[in-house]
Amino acid sequence: MKQRKIPLRKCVACQEMMPKKELIRVVRTPEGEIQIDLKGKKSGRGAYLCGKVACFRLAKKSKALDRALKQAVGAPIYDQLEQDFIQVEEEFHAGKDGMDDDE
């Protein structure tokens, strides 16, 4: 049976290539909202980050999300994203561990 190709994406902060399922997607919706997309299905322009808060902080410091999403991301949005990111990080890692058990 043919091996299935695993889609790779690059973290905008640390520039490391990883399987898409191991990264968290931040999306700019067509309405201009910026939010975290765990499923990776929301429409809009996306940027990927490792599941580490350190990577998120690096992206904030270097304004990597601004460049990747092609829109200025204000400080209040970064603060909200950081809170969401910390909350989602545990959920994301728990889900990823559950996927590893299935394989």
Side-chain angles (χ1 to χ4, degrees):
M1 197 161 130
K2 190 175 179 184
Q3 187 82 22
R4 197 168 206 180
K5 186 177 174 185
I6 298 171
L8 297 176
R9 299 290 183 267
K10 186 185 283 191
C11 172
V12 296
C14 67
Q15 303 297 310
E16 190 175 329
M17 293 290 284
M18 301 174 100
K20 186 178 172 181
K21 289 188 177 191
E22 292 182 20
L23 298 168
I24 296 175
R25 183 174 187 241
V26 178
V27 64
R28 178 186 49 126
T29 63
E31 294 81 37
E33 290 182 46
I34 297 173
Q35 50 194 235
I36 293 175
D37 177 19
L38 283 180
K39 302 264 189 236
K41 301 287 184 187
K42 289 183 182 173
S43 64
R45 182 162 187 87
Y48 292 87
L49 286 168
C50 298
K52 302 176 201 135
V53 176
C55 262
F56 176 79
R57 291 194 176 119
L58 178 63
K60 181 179 178 180
K61 182 180 175 185
S62 67
K63 298 200 180 287
L65 283 177
D66 294 41
R67 287 189 302 277
L69 297 175
K70 295 185 178 179
Q71 176 180 337
V73 180
I77 295 173
Y78 268 121
D79 294 339
Q80 181 62 43
L81 277 175
E82 187 169 14
Q83 290 173 0
D84 293 348
F85 201 85
I86 291 168
Q87 182 181 12
V88 162
E89 181 182 27
E90 296 165 8
E91 182 182 324
F92 177 73
H93 287 299
K96 193 165 73 170
D97 292 340
M99 282 193 304
D100 292 342
D101 294 341
D102 293 342
E103 293 178 20

